[in-house]
């Protein structure tokens, strides 16, 4: 098999570009609330037949809004198994569900208990919280090569501590007392 | 980068759903919608920005001061009857039952919460406990517990309740609330604040004093280097005959320093118990009540 110089170079460039492109995030998101920031900006990949989004968010809560200035990182997966009808310009994903793990920065939080405590004094890492949610999404197909689509999503969720609290206190607490609402936008490339 | 951002913004601005949103809004009574949204946001804490956020309503702030004002308006008779409970932590159903039981008791002057209001120092936990405790027919006062001092707990406690160390004179008795959670400060010598305690005990505007602190001095979460100094201050004041605590999650009553001062520990709400304490001149009675 013969490849002339030009072809082989372009082939190499192509592969390199493809490789580089596959590391680029497939989409970006901006989320309001949902326990991961007043505003959280995220980027991630779509995988498993485009049914799962996995994103890393950086979240920020200003002191004026949240009572304390809070920075956090969240790793979140969202599974959207169905679309309503065939995807057209608008695609509706009526049901999504997923989970995230949220790391809160700050010296008052820990993963491993500080030395001042005997073993397993509190017994839980305060800087890590797990959240679960259900929601939905709509996507609008764009005629743009760089941004192929934009979408809106909403989620209703809770975190591990509030869920445990509800399970242990079904009389006083109710689902309404432990859930919270969030919204986000997504742009896919 | 800037031009790309602008491109993206333009794309959003030219979206057809802008019209859809406009139609949707004009179709409804927007005012009703806004009021409804406001109620959802304010009423149900609909949005959570972080589990560690501190977003409080006005009636969730400065509660120690507010409850002290209420207590000062009461006129004490020659017998002071108080409820001592504590360690509410994650046991809201039990706290709810406690309040129902407490409200059936008569002639209670106020309720003392011996600390560990919350479990993880979350504002949400403090709020849930307060929402239950505010159904009490009498005011309640708290002292800070070790669980209230983790994560953002210190900030939440200060904003919701107030100072970690404070006192009140009621019916001639000085109730002294003191932070004894030494381990949370890595036993750095600042907690408990013995200088403050000494000053509190040295006044002459009261003849009797009762200590309220989460961790009792003989527990190993209390700074052992300060244990004898603490109990010595109580004894040497000549005014303290009772020291009230929580933390250990079971009832106990003892005189560990053989100095006539009773150290009483109340049980946790999980164990569904509290103490009814009656104080009169020269005497006291402590009853353990289960619910």
């Amino acid at each position: 098999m013969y490849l002339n110089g030009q072809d082989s170079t372009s082939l190499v460039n192509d592969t390199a570009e493809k490789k580089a492109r596959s590391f680029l995030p497939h989409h970006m998101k901006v989320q309001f609330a949902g326990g991961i920031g007043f505003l959280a900006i995220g980027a991630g990949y779509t995988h498993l037949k485009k049914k799962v989004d996995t994103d890393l968010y950086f979240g920020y809560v200003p002191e004026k809004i949240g009572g304390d200035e809070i920075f956090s990182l969240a790793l979140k997966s969202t599974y959207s198994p169905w679309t309503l009808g065939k995807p057209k310009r608008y695609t509706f994903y009526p049901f999504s569900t997923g989970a995230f793990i949220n790391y809160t920065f700050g010296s008052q939080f820990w993963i491993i208990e500080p030395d001042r405590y005997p073993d397993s004094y509190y017994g839980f890492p305060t800087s890590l919280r797990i959240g679960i949610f259900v929601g939905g999404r709509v996507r609008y197909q764009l005629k743009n090569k760089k941004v192929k689509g934009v979408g809106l999503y909403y989620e209703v969720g809770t975190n591990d501590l509030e869920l445990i609290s509800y399970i242990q206190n079904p009389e006083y607490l109710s689902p309404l007392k432990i859930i919270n609402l969030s919204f986000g936008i997504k742009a896919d490339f | 980068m800037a031009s790309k951002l602008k491109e993206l913004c333009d794309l959003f601005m030219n979206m057809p759903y802008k019209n859809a949103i406009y139609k949707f809004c004009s179709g409804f009574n927007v005012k009703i919608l806004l009021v409804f949204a406001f109620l959802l946001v304010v009423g149900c804490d609909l949005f959570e920005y972080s589990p560690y956020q501190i977003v409080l309503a006005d009636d969730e702030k400065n509660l120690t001061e507010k409850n002290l004002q209420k207590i000062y308006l009461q006129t004490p008779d020659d017998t002071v009857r108080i409820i001592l409970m504590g360690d509410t932590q994650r046991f809201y159903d039990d706290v709810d039952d406690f309040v129902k039981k407490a409200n059936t008791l008569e002639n209670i002057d106020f309720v003392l919460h011996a600390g560990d209001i919350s479990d993880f120092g979350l504002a949400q936990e403090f709020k849930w406990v307060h929402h239950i405790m505010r159904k009490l027919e009498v005011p309640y006062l708290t002292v800070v517990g070790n669980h209230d001092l983790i994560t953002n707990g210190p900030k939440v406690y200060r904003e919701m309740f107030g100072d970690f160390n404070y006192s009140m004179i009621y019916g001639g008795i000085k109730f002294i609330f003191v932070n004894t959670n030494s381990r949370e400060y890595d036993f750095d010598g600042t907690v408990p604040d013995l200088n403050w305690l000494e000053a509190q005990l040295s006044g002459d505007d009261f003849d009797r004093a009762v200590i309220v602190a989460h961790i009792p001095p003989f527990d190993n979460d209390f700074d052992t280097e300060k244990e004898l100094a603490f109990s010595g201050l109580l004894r040497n004041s000549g005014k303290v005959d009772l020291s009230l605590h929580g933390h250990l999650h079971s009832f106990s009553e003892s005189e560990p320093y053989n100095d006539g001062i009773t150290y009483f520990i109340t049980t946790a709400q999980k164990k569904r118990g509290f103490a009814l304490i009656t104080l009169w001149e020269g005497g006291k009675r402590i009853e353990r009540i289960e619910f």
Side-chain angles (χ1 to χ4, degrees):
Chain A
M1 196 175 162
Y2 174 77
L3 291 166
N4 70 34
Q6 216 181 345
D7 279 348
S8 76
T9 319
S10 73
L11 199 71
V12 168
N13 281 347
D14 242 32
T15 328
E17 202 184 314
K18 259 188 186 168
K19 232 180 185 176
R21 207 181 284 162
S22 72
F23 282 109
L24 286 173
H26 298 162
H27 55 253
M28 289 195 74
K29 294 178 179 177
V30 177
Q31 183 173 316
F32 163 73
I36 62 167
F38 171 69
L39 281 178
I41 183 159
Y45 303 104
T46 299
H47 48 106
L48 295 174
K49 293 183 181 170
K50 292 196 170 182
K51 287 181 175 173
V52 175
D53 279 7
T54 298
D55 306 289
L56 186 68
Y57 287 88
F58 176 74
Y60 176 64
V61 184
E63 186 168 0
K64 279 208 167 160
I65 289 166
D68 189 33
E69 189 176 49
I70 299 166
F71 296 93
S72 59
L73 268 183
L75 185 66
K76 175 172 151 187
S77 272
T78 309
Y79 175 53
S80 309
W82 310 297
T83 57
L84 271 187
K86 280 191 177 171
K88 290 177 191 162
R89 285 185 74 187
Y90 285 102
T91 311
F92 291 94
Y93 299 81
F95 175 78
S96 300
T97 185
F100 60 87
I101 183 157
N102 188 29
Y103 175 84
T104 307
F105 293 93
S107 58
Q108 71 270 49
F109 307 105
W110 65 71
I111 293 182
I112 296 163
E113 272 178 15
D115 293 340
R116 61 179 176 271
Y117 302 116
D119 282 353
S120 288
Y121 189 76
Y122 288 109
F124 54 87
T126 54
S127 52
L128 297 175
R129 294 268 63 80
I130 292 167
I132 53 168
F133 59 86
V134 293
R137 178 161 62 93
V138 57
R139 178 180 184 269
Y140 179 73
Q141 176 84 39
L142 297 176
K143 288 168 188 159
N144 180 289
K145 279 183 183 170
K146 282 175 183 160
V147 182
K148 297 201 177 79
V150 289
L152 288 167
Y153 66 87
Y154 79 94
E155 287 165 6
V156 176
T158 187
N159 68 45
D160 50 354
L161 296 183
E162 294 184 63
L163 186 64
I164 290 168
S165 297
Y166 170 57
I167 291 167
Q168 292 182 328
N169 300 275
E171 312 244 314
Y172 174 68
L173 294 178
S174 60
L176 208 63
K177 280 183 179 157
I178 63 159
I179 57 166
N180 63 74
L181 181 64
S182 62
F183 297 101
I185 52 175
K186 172 182 175 179
D188 55 81
F189 313 122
Chain B
M1 185 67 195
S3 67
K4 270 189 185 169
L5 265 177
K6 196 179 174 301
E7 212 180 321
L8 205 66
C9 286
D10 287 345
L11 274 171
F12 265 102
M13 292 312 288
N14 296 322
M15 294 288 287
Y17 59 65
K18 231 177 93 181
N19 277 331
I21 290 170
Y22 181 75
K23 271 185 194 164
F24 178 78
C25 288
S26 56
F28 280 91
N29 187 330
V30 179
K31 271 183 195 165
I32 288 175
L33 212 67
L34 282 175
V35 167
F36 185 65
F38 178 79
L39 285 176
L40 274 179
V41 172
V42 175
C44 314
D45 291 323
L46 195 63
F47 296 116
E48 182 177 270
Y49 308 125
S50 160
Y52 301 108
Q53 71 184 24
I54 309 162
V55 180
L56 306 172
D58 279 346
D59 67 344
E60 295 166 340
K61 290 178 188 165
N62 212 9
L63 295 170
T64 300
E65 188 55 39
K66 286 175 186 167
N67 283 326
L68 283 175
Q69 292 309 323
K70 282 186 202 163
I71 292 170
Y72 289 143
L73 287 176
Q74 298 174 176
T75 13
D77 49 28
D78 52 4
T79 304
V80 174
R81 254 158 72 95
I82 52 179
I83 285 173
L84 173 71
M85 50 81 74
D87 298 87
T88 44
Q89 287 166 301
R90 215 176 331 116
F91 310 112
Y92 310 102
D93 281 0
D94 300 320
V95 185
D96 209 34
D97 291 343
F98 156 75
V99 169
K100 283 174 196 152
K101 176 74 181 179
N103 283 342
T104 65
L105 302 174
E106 283 173 9
N107 298 321
I108 304 293
D109 290 275
F110 50 89
V111 171
L112 296 176
H113 190 309
D116 278 2
I117 301 161
S118 72
D119 204 19
F120 306 95
L122 304 184
Q124 181 65 80
E125 299 176 320
F126 281 95
K127 285 159 88 159
W128 282 336
V129 170
H130 171 60
H131 294 168
I132 301 170
M133 297 284 283
R134 72 182 170 195
K135 292 187 280 190
L136 282 166
E137 279 166 15
V138 293
Y140 77 98
L141 293 171
T142 63
V143 71
V144 72
N146 59 300
H147 277 260
D148 303 323
L149 291 170
I150 58 171
T151 69
N152 270 350
K155 216 174 166 183
V156 181
Y157 186 91
R158 266 185 220 289
E159 287 181 30
M160 271 191 84
F161 294 97
D163 289 336
F164 297 164
N165 297 325
Y166 67 98
S167 65
M168 162 191 77
I169 297 175
Y170 183 80
I173 305 167
K174 188 167 194 176
F175 291 86
I176 302 173
F177 300 79
V178 55
N179 175 12
T180 55
N181 307 292
S182 319
R183 190 182 291 282
E184 297 310 315
Y185 301 84
D186 204 6
F187 303 111
D188 66 359
T190 60
V191 172
D193 186 343
L194 296 183
N195 292 330
W196 179 85
L197 183 61
E198 189 174 12
Q200 288 296 314
L201 286 167
S202 64
D204 54 7
D205 47 352
F206 62 101
D207 335 302
R208 190 179 185 182
V210 171
I211 304 294
V212 187
H214 181 62
I215 296 174
F218 42 83
D219 187 82
N220 62 12
D221 292 328
F222 190 106
D223 194 339
T224 46
E225 288 178 23
K226 295 198 158 206
E227 178 189 351
L228 294 180
F230 181 91
S231 57
L233 275 179
L234 270 48
R235 177 169 51 249
N236 296 336
S237 74
K239 290 179 173 174
V240 180
D241 67 331
L242 185 59
S243 192
L244 303 172
H245 308 275
H247 191 55
L248 302 181
H249 292 206
S250 59
F251 285 120
S252 93
E253 185 173 345
S254 64
E255 243 183 66
Y257 307 104
N258 298 313
D259 53 6
I261 300 176
T262 302
Y263 288 76
F264 182 81
I265 293 153
T266 191
T267 192
Q269 291 306 291
K270 183 190 184 180
K271 302 229 178 123
R272 301 176 66 84
F274 63 91
L276 177 61
I277 299 170
T278 313
L279 304 166
W280 62 90
E281 201 174 335
K284 61 174 176 282
R285 185 173 63 240
I286 304 173
E287 295 161 73
R288 301 173 188 192
I289 297 178
E290 284 174 351
F291 59 90

